Coordinates of all heavy atoms in Angstrom, one line a residue:
M1 N 124.6 121.5 72.0 CA 124.4 120.1 72.4 C 125.3 119.6 73.5 O 126.5 119.5 73.3 CB 124.7 119.2 71.1 CG 123.5 119.3 70.1 SD 122.2 118.2 70.4 CE 121.4 118.1 68.8
T2 N 124.7 119.4 74.6 CA 125.4 118.9 75.7 C 125.1 117.4 76.0 O 125.8 116.7 76.7 CB 125.2 119.7 77.0 OG1 123.8 119.9 77.2 CG2 125.9 121.1 76.8
E3 N 123.9 117.0 75.5 CA 123.5 115.6 75.7 C 124.3 114.6 75.0 O 124.6 114.8 73.8 CB 122.0 115.5 75.4 CG 121.2 114.8 76.4 CD 119.7 114.9 76.1 OE1 119.1 115.9 75.8 OE2 119.1 113.8 76.0
M4 N 124.6 113.5 75.6 CA 125.3 112.5 75.0 C 124.3 111.6 74.2 O 123.4 111.0 74.8 CB 126.0 111.6 76.0 CG 127.5 111.8 76.0 SD 128.3 110.8 77.3 CE 128.8 109.4 76.2
Q5 N 124.6 111.4 73.0 CA 123.7 110.6 72.1 C 124.5 109.4 71.7 O 125.6 109.5 71.1 CB 123.2 111.3 70.9 CG 122.1 112.4 71.3 CD 120.8 111.7 71.7 OE1 120.5 110.6 71.4 NE2 120.0 112.5 72.4
P6 N 123.9 108.2 71.9 CA 124.6 107.0 71.4 C 124.7 107.0 69.9 O 123.7 107.4 69.2 CB 123.8 105.8 72.0 CG 122.4 106.4 72.3 CD 122.7 107.9 72.6
D7 N 125.8 106.5 69.3 CA 125.9 106.5 67.9 C 125.0 105.4 67.3 O 124.5 105.6 66.2 CB 127.4 106.2 67.5 CG 128.3 107.3 67.9 OD1 127.8 108.5 68.0 OD2 129.5 107.1 68.2
E8 N 124.9 104.3 67.9 CA 124.2 103.2 67.4 C 123.7 102.3 68.5 O 124.2 102.4 69.6 CB 125.1 102.4 66.5 CG 126.3 101.8 67.2 CD 127.3 101.1 66.3 OE1 126.8 100.2 65.6 OE2 128.5 101.3 66.4
H9 N 122.7 101.6 68.2 CA 122.1 100.6 69.2 C 122.6 99.2 68.9 O 123.0 98.9 67.8 CB 120.6 100.7 69.1 CG 120.0 102.0 69.5 ND1 120.1 102.4 70.8 CD2 119.4 103.0 68.9 CE1 119.5 103.6 70.9 NE2 119.1 104.0 69.7
Y10 N 122.5 98.5 69.9 CA 122.9 97.1 69.8 C 121.6 96.2 69.7 O 120.6 96.5 70.3 CB 123.7 96.6 71.0 CG 125.1 97.3 71.1 CD1 125.3 98.4 71.9 CD2 126.1 96.8 70.3 CE1 126.5 99.0 71.9 CE2 127.4 97.4 70.4 CZ 127.5 98.5 71.2 OH 128.8 99.2 71.2
S11 N 121.7 95.2 68.9 CA 120.6 94.3 68.7 C 120.4 93.3 69.9 O 121.3 93.1 70.7 CB 120.8 93.6 67.4 OG 121.8 92.6 67.5
D12 N 119.2 92.7 69.9 CA 119.0 91.7 70.8 C 120.0 90.6 70.8 O 120.5 90.0 71.8 CB 117.6 91.0 70.6 CG 116.5 92.0 70.6 OD1 116.6 92.9 71.5 OD2 115.5 91.9 69.9
F13 N 120.4 90.3 69.6 CA 121.5 89.2 69.4 C 122.7 89.6 70.1 O 123.4 88.8 70.8 CB 121.8 89.1 67.9 CG 122.8 88.1 67.6 CD1 122.5 86.7 67.7 CD2 124.1 88.5 67.3 CE1 123.5 85.8 67.4 CE2 125.1 87.6 67.0 CZ 124.8 86.2 67.1
H14 N 123.1 90.9 70.0 CA 124.3 91.3 70.8 C 124.2 91.2 72.3 O 125.1 90.7 72.9 CB 124.6 92.8 70.5 CG 125.4 93.1 69.2 ND1 124.8 93.4 68.0 CD2 126.7 93.0 69.0 CE1 125.7 93.5 67.1 NE2 126.9 93.3 67.6
W15 N 123.0 91.5 72.8 CA 122.8 91.4 74.2 C 122.8 90.0 74.7 O 123.2 89.6 75.8 CB 121.5 92.2 74.6 CG 121.7 93.6 74.4 CD1 120.9 94.4 73.6 CD2 122.7 94.5 75.0 NE1 121.4 95.7 73.7 CE2 122.5 95.8 74.5 CE3 123.8 94.3 75.9 CZ2 123.3 96.9 74.8 CZ3 124.6 95.4 76.2 CH2 124.3 96.6 75.7
V16 N 122.2 89.1 73.9 CA 122.2 87.6 74.2 C 123.7 87.2 74.3 O 124.1 86.5 75.2 CB 121.4 86.8 73.2 CG1 121.6 85.3 73.4 CG2 119.9 87.2 73.3
E17 N 124.5 87.6 73.3 CA 125.9 87.2 73.2 C 126.6 87.8 74.5 O 127.5 87.1 75.1 CB 126.5 87.7 72.0 CG 126.1 87.1 70.7 CD 126.5 85.6 70.6 OE1 127.7 85.3 70.4 OE2 125.6 84.7 70.9
Y18 N 126.2 89.0 74.8 CA 126.8 89.6 76.0 C 126.5 88.8 77.2 O 127.4 88.6 78.1 CB 126.2 91.0 76.1 CG 126.6 91.8 77.3 CD1 127.8 92.5 77.4 CD2 125.8 91.8 78.4 CE1 128.1 93.3 78.5 CE2 126.1 92.5 79.6 CZ 127.3 93.2 79.6 OH 127.6 93.9 80.8
L19 N 125.3 88.4 77.4 CA 124.9 87.6 78.6 C 125.6 86.3 78.6 O 125.9 85.7 79.7 CB 123.4 87.4 78.6 CG 122.6 88.7 78.9 CD1 121.1 88.5 78.6 CD2 122.7 89.1 80.3
H20 N 125.9 85.8 77.5 CA 126.7 84.5 77.4 C 128.2 84.7 77.6 O 128.9 83.7 77.6 CB 126.4 83.8 76.0 CG 125.1 83.0 76.0 ND1 125.0 81.7 76.5 CD2 123.9 83.4 75.6 CE1 123.7 81.3 76.3 NE2 123.0 82.3 75.8
G21 N 128.6 85.9 77.7 CA 130.0 86.2 77.9 C 130.8 86.0 76.6 O 132.0 85.7 76.7
R22 N 130.1 86.1 75.5 CA 130.8 85.9 74.2 C 131.3 87.2 73.5 O 131.7 87.1 72.4 CB 130.0 85.1 73.3 CG 129.8 83.6 73.7 CD 129.4 82.7 72.6 NE 128.0 82.9 72.3 CZ 127.0 82.1 72.8 NH1 127.3 81.1 73.5 NH2 125.7 82.4 72.5
I23 N 131.1 88.3 74.2 CA 131.5 89.6 73.6 C 132.9 89.9 74.2 O 133.1 90.0 75.4 CB 130.6 90.7 74.0 CG1 129.1 90.4 73.6 CG2 131.1 92.1 73.4 CD1 128.9 90.5 72.1
P24 N 133.9 90.0 73.3 CA 135.3 90.2 73.7 C 135.5 91.7 74.0 O 134.7 92.6 73.5 CB 136.1 89.8 72.5 CG 135.2 90.1 71.3 CD 133.8 89.8 71.8
Q25 N 136.5 92.0 74.8 CA 136.9 93.4 75.0 C 137.5 93.9 73.7 O 138.1 93.1 73.0 CB 137.9 93.5 76.2 CG 137.3 93.0 77.5 CD 136.4 94.0 78.1 OE1 136.1 95.1 77.5 NE2 135.9 93.7 79.3
P26 N 137.5 95.1 73.4 CA 136.9 96.2 74.1 C 135.4 96.5 73.8 O 134.8 97.4 74.3 CB 137.7 97.4 73.7 CG 138.1 97.1 72.3 CD 138.2 95.6 72.2
E27 N 134.9 95.6 72.9 CA 133.5 95.7 72.6 C 132.6 95.7 73.8 O 131.6 96.4 73.9 CB 133.1 94.6 71.6 CG 131.8 94.8 70.9 CD 131.7 96.0 69.9 OE1 132.7 96.5 69.6 OE2 130.6 96.4 69.6
K28 N 132.9 94.8 74.7 CA 132.1 94.6 75.9 C 132.0 95.9 76.7 O 130.9 96.3 77.2 CB 132.7 93.5 76.8 CG 131.9 93.1 77.9 CD 132.4 91.8 78.5 CE 131.6 91.4 79.8 NZ 132.4 91.6 81.0
T29 N 133.2 96.6 76.8 CA 133.2 97.9 77.5 C 132.3 98.9 76.8 O 131.6 99.7 77.4 CB 134.6 98.4 77.7 OG1 135.4 97.4 78.3 CG2 134.7 99.7 78.5
K30 N 132.4 98.9 75.5 CA 131.6 99.8 74.7 C 130.1 99.6 74.9 O 129.4 100.6 75.0 CB 131.9 99.6 73.2 CG 133.1 100.5 72.7 CD 133.3 100.3 71.2 CE 132.2 100.9 70.4 NZ 132.4 100.7 68.9
M31 N 129.7 98.3 75.0 CA 128.3 98.0 75.2 C 127.9 98.5 76.6 O 126.8 99.0 76.8 CB 128.1 96.5 75.1 CG 128.2 96.1 73.6 SD 128.1 94.3 73.4 CE 126.3 94.0 73.6
E32 N 128.8 98.3 77.6 CA 128.4 98.7 79.0 C 128.3 100.2 79.1 O 127.5 100.8 79.8 CB 129.5 98.2 80.0 CG 129.2 96.7 80.2 CD 130.4 96.0 80.9 OE1 131.5 96.6 81.0 OE2 130.2 94.8 81.2
E33 N 129.2 100.9 78.3 CA 129.1 102.4 78.3 C 127.8 102.8 77.6 O 127.2 103.8 78.0 CB 130.3 103.0 77.6 CG 131.6 103.0 78.5 CD 132.8 103.4 77.7 OE1 132.7 103.7 76.5 OE2 133.9 103.4 78.3
H34 N 127.5 102.1 76.6 CA 126.2 102.4 75.9 C 125.0 102.3 76.8 O 124.1 103.1 76.7 CB 126.1 101.5 74.6 CG 124.9 101.8 73.8 ND1 124.9 102.8 72.8 CD2 123.7 101.3 73.8 CE1 123.7 102.8 72.3 NE2 122.9 101.9 72.9
L35 N 125.1 101.3 77.6 CA 124.0 101.0 78.6 C 123.7 102.2 79.5 O 122.6 102.5 79.9 CB 124.3 99.8 79.4 CG 124.1 98.5 78.8 CD1 124.4 97.4 79.8 CD2 122.6 98.3 78.4
T36 N 124.8 102.9 79.8 CA 124.7 104.1 80.8 C 124.0 105.3 80.1 O 123.5 106.1 80.8 CB 126.1 104.5 81.3 OG1 126.8 105.0 80.3 CG2 126.8 103.3 82.0
V37 N 124.0 105.3 78.8 CA 123.4 106.5 78.1 C 122.1 106.1 77.4 O 121.4 107.0 76.9 CB 124.4 107.2 77.2 CG1 125.5 107.7 77.9 CG2 124.8 106.2 76.1
C38 N 121.8 104.8 77.3 CA 120.7 104.4 76.4 C 119.7 103.5 77.2 O 120.0 102.4 77.5 CB 121.2 103.6 75.2 SG 119.9 103.2 74.1
E39 N 118.6 104.2 77.5 CA 117.6 103.5 78.3 C 116.9 102.3 77.4 O 116.6 101.3 78.0 CB 116.5 104.4 78.7 CG 115.6 103.9 79.8 CD 114.5 104.9 80.2 OE1 114.7 106.1 80.0 OE2 113.5 104.4 80.8
D40 N 116.9 102.6 76.2 CA 116.3 101.6 75.3 C 117.0 100.3 75.3 O 116.4 99.2 75.4 CB 116.3 102.2 73.8 CG 115.5 101.3 72.9 OD1 114.3 101.1 73.2 OD2 116.0 100.9 71.8
C41 N 118.3 100.4 75.3 CA 119.2 99.2 75.3 C 119.2 98.5 76.7 O 119.3 97.3 76.8 CB 120.6 99.5 74.8 SG 120.6 99.6 73.0
R42 N 119.0 99.3 77.7 CA 118.9 98.8 79.1 C 117.6 97.9 79.2 O 117.7 96.8 79.7 CB 118.8 99.9 80.1 CG 120.2 100.4 80.6 CD 120.1 101.0 82.0 NE 119.2 102.2 82.0 CZ 119.6 103.4 81.7 NH1 120.9 103.7 81.3 NH2 118.8 104.4 81.7
T43 N 116.5 98.4 78.6 CA 115.3 97.6 78.6 C 115.5 96.4 77.8 O 115.1 95.3 78.2 CB 114.2 98.5 77.9 OG1 114.1 99.7 78.6 CG2 112.9 97.7 77.9
R44 N 116.2 96.5 76.7 CA 116.4 95.3 75.8 C 117.3 94.3 76.6 O 117.0 93.1 76.5 CB 117.2 95.8 74.6 CG 117.0 95.1 73.4 CD 117.8 95.7 72.3 NE 117.1 96.9 71.8 CZ 116.4 96.9 70.7 NH1 116.3 95.9 69.9 NH2 115.8 98.0 70.3
L45 N 118.3 94.8 77.3 CA 119.1 93.9 78.0 C 118.4 93.2 79.1 O 118.5 92.0 79.3 CB 120.3 94.6 78.6 CG 121.3 93.8 79.5 CD1 121.9 92.6 78.7 CD2 122.4 94.7 80.1
N46 N 117.5 93.9 79.8 CA 116.7 93.3 80.8 C 115.8 92.2 80.3 O 115.6 91.2 80.9 CB 115.8 94.4 81.5 CG 116.6 95.2 82.5 OD1 117.6 94.8 83.0 ND2 116.2 96.4 82.7
I47 N 115.2 92.5 79.1 CA 114.3 91.5 78.5 C 115.2 90.2 78.1 O 114.8 89.1 78.4 CB 113.6 92.1 77.3 CG1 112.6 93.1 77.7 CG2 113.0 91.0 76.5 CD1 112.1 94.0 76.6
C48 N 116.3 90.5 77.5 CA 117.2 89.4 77.1 C 117.7 88.6 78.3 O 117.8 87.3 78.3 CB 118.4 89.9 76.3 SG 118.0 90.5 74.7
R49 N 117.9 89.3 79.4 CA 118.4 88.6 80.6 C 117.3 87.7 81.2 O 117.5 86.6 81.6 CB 118.8 89.6 81.7 CG 119.3 88.9 82.9 CD 119.7 89.9 84.0 NE 121.0 90.6 83.7 CZ 121.1 92.0 83.7 NH1 120.1 92.7 83.9 NH2 122.3 92.5 83.4
A50 N 116.0 88.2 81.1 CA 114.9 87.4 81.6 C 114.7 86.2 80.7 O 114.5 85.1 81.2 CB 113.6 88.3 81.5
M51 N 114.8 86.4 79.4 CA 114.7 85.2 78.5 C 115.9 84.3 78.7 O 115.7 83.1 78.7 CB 114.8 85.8 77.0 CG 113.7 86.6 76.6 SD 112.2 85.7 76.4 CE 111.1 86.9 75.8
H52 N 117.1 84.8 78.9 CA 118.3 84.0 79.2 C 118.1 83.1 80.4 O 118.4 82.0 80.4 CB 119.4 85.0 79.3 CG 120.7 84.3 79.6 ND1 121.4 83.5 78.6 CD2 121.5 84.2 80.7 CE1 122.5 83.0 79.2 NE2 122.6 83.4 80.4
T53 N 117.5 83.7 81.4 CA 117.3 83.0 82.7 C 116.3 81.9 82.4 O 116.4 80.8 82.9 CB 116.7 84.0 83.8 OG1 117.7 85.0 83.9 CG2 116.6 83.3 85.1
L54 N 115.2 82.2 81.6 CA 114.2 81.2 81.4 C 114.7 80.0 80.5 O 114.4 78.9 80.7 CB 113.0 81.9 80.6 CG 112.1 82.7 81.4 CD1 111.2 83.5 80.5 CD2 111.3 81.9 82.4
L55 N 115.6 80.4 79.6 CA 116.0 79.4 78.6 C 117.3 78.6 79.0 O 117.6 77.6 78.4 CB 116.3 80.1 77.3 CG 115.1 80.7 76.6 CD1 115.5 81.6 75.5 CD2 114.1 79.6 76.1
G56 N 118.0 79.1 80.0 CA 119.2 78.4 80.4 C 120.3 78.4 79.4 O 120.6 79.5 78.9
D57 N 120.7 77.3 79.0 CA 121.9 77.2 78.1 C 121.6 77.3 76.6 O 122.5 77.3 75.8 CB 122.6 75.9 78.4 CG 123.5 76.0 79.6 OD1 123.8 77.1 80.1 OD2 123.8 74.9 80.2
K58 N 120.3 77.3 76.3 CA 119.9 77.4 74.9 C 120.4 78.7 74.3 O 120.3 79.7 74.9 CB 118.4 77.3 74.7 CG 117.9 75.9 75.0 CD 116.5 75.7 74.3 CE 115.8 74.5 74.8 NZ 114.9 74.6 75.9
K59 N 120.9 78.6 73.1 CA 121.3 79.7 72.3 C 120.2 80.3 71.5 O 119.3 79.5 71.0 CB 122.5 79.4 71.4 CG 123.7 78.9 72.1 CD 124.8 78.7 71.0 CE 126.0 78.0 71.6 NZ 126.2 76.6 71.0
A60 N 120.2 81.6 71.4 CA 119.1 82.2 70.6 C 119.1 81.7 69.2 O 118.1 81.5 68.6 CB 119.3 83.7 70.6
S61 N 120.3 81.4 68.7 CA 120.4 80.9 67.3 C 119.8 79.5 67.1 O 119.4 79.1 66.1 CB 121.9 80.9 66.9 OG 122.7 80.1 67.8
E62 N 119.8 78.8 68.2 CA 119.1 77.4 68.2 C 117.6 77.6 68.1 O 117.0 76.7 67.6 CB 119.5 76.6 69.4 CG 120.9 76.2 69.5 CD 121.3 75.6 70.8 OE1 120.4 75.4 71.7 OE2 122.5 75.3 71.0
L63 N 117.1 78.7 68.6 CA 115.7 78.9 68.6 C 115.2 79.5 67.4 O 114.0 79.5 67.2 CB 115.3 79.7 69.9 CG 115.7 79.0 71.2 CD1 115.9 80.0 72.3 CD2 114.6 78.0 71.6
G64 N 116.1 80.0 66.6 CA 115.6 80.6 65.3 C 115.2 82.1 65.5 O 115.1 82.6 66.6
P65 N 115.0 82.7 64.3 CA 114.6 84.1 64.3 C 113.3 84.4 65.0 O 113.1 85.5 65.4 CB 114.6 84.4 62.8 CG 114.5 83.1 62.1 CD 115.1 82.1 63.0
A66 N 112.4 83.4 65.0 CA 111.1 83.7 65.7 C 111.3 84.1 67.1 O 110.5 84.9 67.7 CB 110.3 82.4 65.6
F67 N 112.3 83.6 67.8 CA 112.6 83.9 69.1 C 113.0 85.4 69.3 O 112.5 86.1 70.1 CB 113.7 83.0 69.7 CG 114.2 83.4 71.0 CD1 113.4 83.3 72.2 CD2 115.5 83.9 71.2 CE1 113.9 83.6 73.4 CE2 116.0 84.3 72.4 CZ 115.2 84.2 73.5
L68 N 113.9 85.8 68.4 CA 114.4 87.2 68.4 C 113.2 88.1 68.1 O 113.1 89.2 68.6 CB 115.5 87.4 67.5 CG 116.8 86.7 67.9 CD1 117.9 86.9 66.8 CD2 117.3 87.2 69.2
D69 N 112.4 87.6 67.2 CA 111.2 88.3 66.8 C 110.3 88.6 68.0 O 109.8 89.7 68.1 CB 110.4 87.5 65.7 CG 110.2 88.3 64.5 OD1 111.1 89.0 64.0 OD2 109.1 88.2 63.9
A70 N 110.1 87.5 68.7 CA 109.2 87.6 69.9 C 109.8 88.6 70.9 O 109.1 89.4 71.5 CB 109.1 86.3 70.5
I71 N 111.1 88.6 71.1 CA 111.7 89.5 72.0 C 111.6 91.0 71.5 O 111.2 91.9 72.2 CB 113.2 89.2 72.2 CG1 113.4 87.9 72.9 CG2 113.9 90.3 73.0 CD1 114.9 87.5 73.0
A72 N 111.8 91.1 70.2 CA 111.7 92.5 69.6 C 110.3 93.0 69.7 O 110.0 94.2 70.1 CB 112.1 92.4 68.1
A73 N 109.3 92.1 69.5 CA 107.9 92.5 69.6 C 107.6 92.9 71.1 O 106.9 93.9 71.3 CB 107.0 91.4 69.2
F74 N 108.1 92.1 72.0 CA 107.9 92.4 73.4 C 108.5 93.7 73.8 O 107.9 94.5 74.5 CB 108.5 91.3 74.2 CG 108.2 91.4 75.7 CD1 106.9 91.4 76.2 CD2 109.3 91.4 76.6 CE1 106.7 91.5 77.6 CE2 109.1 91.5 78.0 CZ 107.8 91.6 78.4
A75 N 109.7 94.0 73.3 CA 110.4 95.2 73.6 C 109.7 96.4 73.0 O 109.5 97.4 73.7 CB 111.8 95.1 73.1
A76 N 109.2 96.2 71.8 CA 108.5 97.3 71.1 C 107.2 97.6 71.9 O 106.8 98.8 72.0 CB 108.2 96.9 69.7
A77 N 106.5 96.6 72.3 CA 105.2 96.8 73.1 C 105.5 97.6 74.3 O 104.7 98.4 74.7 CB 104.6 95.4 73.4
R78 N 106.6 97.2 75.0 CA 106.9 97.9 76.3 C 107.4 99.3 76.0 O 107.1 100.2 76.8 CB 108.1 97.2 77.0 CG 107.6 95.9 77.7 CD 108.8 95.3 78.4 NE 109.3 96.2 79.4 CZ 109.2 96.1 80.7 NH1 108.4 95.2 81.2 NH2 109.7 97.0 81.5
A79 N 108.1 99.5 74.9 CA 108.6 100.8 74.6 C 107.6 101.8 73.9 O 107.8 103.0 73.9 CB 109.8 100.7 73.7
A80 N 106.5 101.2 73.5 CA 105.5 102.0 72.8 C 104.9 103.1 73.7 O 104.5 102.8 74.8 CB 104.4 101.1 72.3
P81 N 104.9 104.3 73.2 CA 104.4 105.4 74.0 C 102.8 105.2 74.1 O 102.3 104.6 73.2 CB 104.7 106.6 73.3 CG 104.9 106.2 71.8 CD 105.4 104.7 71.9
P82 N 102.2 105.7 75.1 CA 100.8 105.7 75.2 C 100.1 106.5 74.1 O 100.7 107.4 73.6 CB 100.4 106.4 76.6 CG 101.7 107.2 76.9 CD 102.8 106.4 76.2
A83 N 99.0 106.0 73.6 CA 98.4 106.6 72.4 C 98.0 108.1 72.7 O 97.3 108.4 73.7 CB 97.1 105.9 72.1
T84 N 98.6 109.0 71.9 CA 98.3 110.4 72.1 C 97.5 110.9 70.9 O 97.9 110.7 69.8 CB 99.6 111.2 72.3 OG1 100.5 110.7 71.3 CG2 100.3 111.0 73.6
P85 N 96.5 111.6 71.2 CA 95.7 112.2 70.1 C 96.5 113.3 69.4 O 97.2 114.0 70.0 CB 94.5 112.9 70.9 CG 94.9 113.0 72.3 CD 96.0 112.0 72.5
A86 N 96.4 113.2 68.1 CA 97.2 114.2 67.3 C 96.7 115.6 67.5 O 95.5 115.9 67.5 CB 97.0 113.8 65.8
E87 N 97.7 116.5 67.8 CA 97.3 117.8 68.0 C 97.2 118.6 66.7 O 97.7 118.2 65.7 CB 98.4 118.5 68.9 CG 98.1 118.5 70.4 CD 99.2 119.3 71.1 OE1 98.9 120.4 71.4 OE2 100.2 118.7 71.5
G88 N 96.5 119.7 66.8 CA 96.3 120.5 65.6 C 94.9 120.4 65.0 O 93.9 120.2 65.8
D89 N 94.8 120.5 63.7 CA 93.5 120.5 63.2 C 92.9 119.1 63.0 O 93.4 118.4 62.2 CB 93.4 121.3 61.8 CG 94.3 120.7 60.8 OD1 95.3 120.0 61.2 OD2 94.1 120.9 59.6
S90 N 91.9 118.8 63.8 CA 91.2 117.5 63.6 C 90.0 117.8 62.8 O 90.1 118.5 61.8 CB 90.9 116.9 65.0 OG 90.4 117.9 65.8
A91 N 88.9 117.3 63.2 CA 87.7 117.5 62.4 C 86.9 118.7 62.7 O 85.7 118.8 62.4 CB 86.8 116.2 62.5
G92 N 87.6 119.7 63.3 CA 86.8 120.9 63.6 C 87.2 122.0 62.7 O 87.5 123.1 63.1
N93 N 87.1 121.8 61.4 CA 87.5 122.7 60.4 C 86.3 123.4 59.7 O 85.9 123.0 58.6 CB 88.4 122.0 59.4 CG 89.4 123.0 58.8 OD1 89.5 124.1 59.2 ND2 90.1 122.5 57.8
S94 N 85.8 124.4 60.2 CA 84.7 125.1 59.5 C 84.7 126.6 59.8 O 84.1 127.3 60.3 CB 83.3 124.5 59.8 OG 83.0 124.7 61.1
Ligands
ZN101 ZN1 120.9 101.8 72.5

């Protein structure tokens, strides 16, 4: 194993906090290091940044869980792989 695997992912909430500058060191450095190895979290951060730009000073917590839900759904939709037909034995079994 030579590939670096992130131990854990950060939630949308973490990235919103990060964008607000509310993540203290050394956690902030850890998150930035995680970004370099985790494309999933980079996508997440980009989405949160877009939302953050749209919403201005509003906090995610003011908007309720529905907001984080919407972000998560959006992220999931973007991250979803294209539909691939299952390989192997389909209906051709005779
Ligand atoms: Zn991650």
Side-chain angles (χ1 to χ4, degrees):
M1 282 276 199
T2 50
E3 226 175 305
M4 253 181 98
Q5 287 290 338
D7 292 333
E8 57 183 313
H9 292 292
Y10 293 96
S11 68
D12 300 324
F13 179 76
H14 274 98
W15 293 120
V16 171
E17 292 293 285
Y18 173 86
L19 288 169
H20 278 277
R22 288 199 287 259
I23 303 290
Q25 299 285 5
E27 189 69 15
K28 189 167 176 253
T29 304
K30 270 182 69 179
M31 289 175 78
E32 282 164 355
E33 278 172 4
H34 182 86
L35 282 179
T36 67
V37 296
C38 185
E39 194 179 340
D40 189 53
C41 282
R42 274 204 299 274
T43 303
R44 210 176 283 258
L45 176 60
N46 282 336
I47 291 166
C48 288
R49 183 182 285 128
M51 295 287 184
H52 178 68
T53 304
L54 284 172
L55 295 169
D57 282 341
K58 284 200 192 97
K59 296 184 192 115
S61 53
E62 287 170 8
L63 296 157
F67 170 69
L68 292 178
D69 233 43
I71 294 176
F74 184 59
R78 282 183 59 104
T84 45
E87 267 186 90
D89 61 333
S90 42
N93 206 11
S94 67

